[in-house]
Amino acid sequence: MGDAAQRLGEIRARIADAAKGRGRDPSSVTLIAVSKTFEADAIRPVIAAGQRHFGENRVQEAKAKWPELKAETAGIVLHLIGPLQSNKAKEAVELFDAIHSIDREKIARAVAAEMNKQGKRLELFVQVNTGEEPQKAGVMPADAVAFVTMCREELGLDIAGLMCIPPVDEEPAVHFAFLAKLAEEAGVSGLSMGMSDDFETAVEFGASHVRVGSAIFGGRG
Ligand SMILES: *Cc1c(COP(=O)(O)O)cnc(C)c1O
């Protein structure tokens, strides 16, 4: 088992192997360490081990721990990977460097307005509900290309890529391949996909960002 810093090293090695196996440069894959539910003291050793990209799924939780952690170490890049309410757009733009959950026009507009107001550009991903699950966030696959185009042309947003969370009971590879195809159609290069159980498969299918939580920090109970 070991500690979080040791597990981080193992995950990095596995990402590098998966990338090389497909002739990809390992540095083309950004590992986001998902620290949701873990306190600052559990995160510090992972920062000390050199990790800089972190993911959180709630604005309030992130606000409680990251300003201090960011002040301690230069170069932290914070990714919002969970659903965003438009009334939290201001705080989200203040605190985060990237948002992976842009999934409706109202949110896209609120984030665009806040970025203009704050003079800050975030890296933005459009979340796609590749499994068309009723309870899950994300634009429907059939609407993904039009939504990216709308963000770009009407709101002036520079969309970095697409994000998905495959259904738990389905083969993730099918969803990763589908997301890659949609990204190509939409003319974006970023692919935020792959979690603790399937990040190597995601890298094989072209992930630019993998979001790994429990495999680094341990179970969330
Ligand atoms: C929690 C979470 C992850 C990380 O999940 P693990 O299985 O712990 O690696 C990745 N992406 C999103 C959107 C999450 O909410």
Side-chain angles (χ1 to χ4, degrees):
M1 284 257 91
D3 57 18
Q6 190 180 333
R7 289 191 293 265
L8 174 74
E10 287 160 11
I11 301 293
R12 288 202 167 284
R14 286 169 59 189
I15 290 171
D17 283 347
K20 287 182 202 146
R22 288 295 162 116
R24 298 187 59 195
D25 180 351
S27 71
S28 67
V29 183
T30 298
L31 168 62
I32 300 171
V34 177
S35 49
K36 66 187 186 197
T37 77
F38 288 92
E39 309 219 339
D41 283 343
I43 299 170
R44 282 193 183 92
V46 177
I47 297 175
Q51 179 65 24
R52 291 296 176 267
H53 289 258
F54 289 87
E56 290 282 344
N57 68 338
R58 287 160 185 240
V59 176
Q60 289 316 305
E61 184 188 340
K63 219 182 147 184
K65 57 191 179 187
W66 281 100
E68 190 184 347
L69 290 169
K70 275 188 157 187
E72 289 168 9
T73 306
I76 297 288
V77 183
L78 201 55
H79 299 255
L80 177 62
I81 60 172
L84 177 61
Q85 312 290 312
S86 51
N87 62 4
K88 297 266 169 62
K90 177 174 181 285
E91 290 170 296
V93 170
E94 282 167 358
L95 183 61
F96 288 91
D97 303 289
I99 299 176
H100 293 241
S101 50
I102 303 292
D103 67 349
R104 52 196 192 279
E105 186 170 340
K106 194 177 176 199
I107 283 297
R109 279 191 191 281
V111 168
E114 272 305 325
M115 291 200 308
N116 289 337
K117 205 185 276 177
Q118 297 182 28
K120 186 177 173 192
R121 303 316 285 180
L122 278 71
E123 190 175 33
L124 302 177
F125 292 79
V126 167
Q127 183 172 350
V128 183
N129 187 351
T130 56
E132 303 191 27
E133 296 172 277
Q135 82 286 6
K136 200 167 269 177
V139 300
M140 285 296 145
D143 302 330
V145 173
F147 184 79
V148 169
T149 305
M150 185 280 297
C151 287
R152 211 184 262 144
E153 293 180 358
E154 282 183 42
L155 309 179
L157 292 174
D158 186 9
I159 300 295
L162 304 182
M163 177 272 221
C164 77
I165 307 170
V168 284
D169 53 354
E170 288 183 27
E171 187 56 58
V174 173
H175 292 269
F176 298 155
F178 187 33
L179 195 72
K181 179 172 159 281
L182 288 173
E184 199 180 327
E185 287 172 16
V188 295
S189 57
L191 288 170
S192 169
M193 57 190 198
M195 315 196 337
S196 289
D197 290 334
D198 53 24
F199 65 88
E200 286 152 308
T201 306
V203 169
E204 286 164 11
F205 281 86
S208 61
H209 294 69
V210 293
R211 311 178 307 266
V212 179
S214 48
I216 295 171
F217 289 99
R220 286 181 295 269

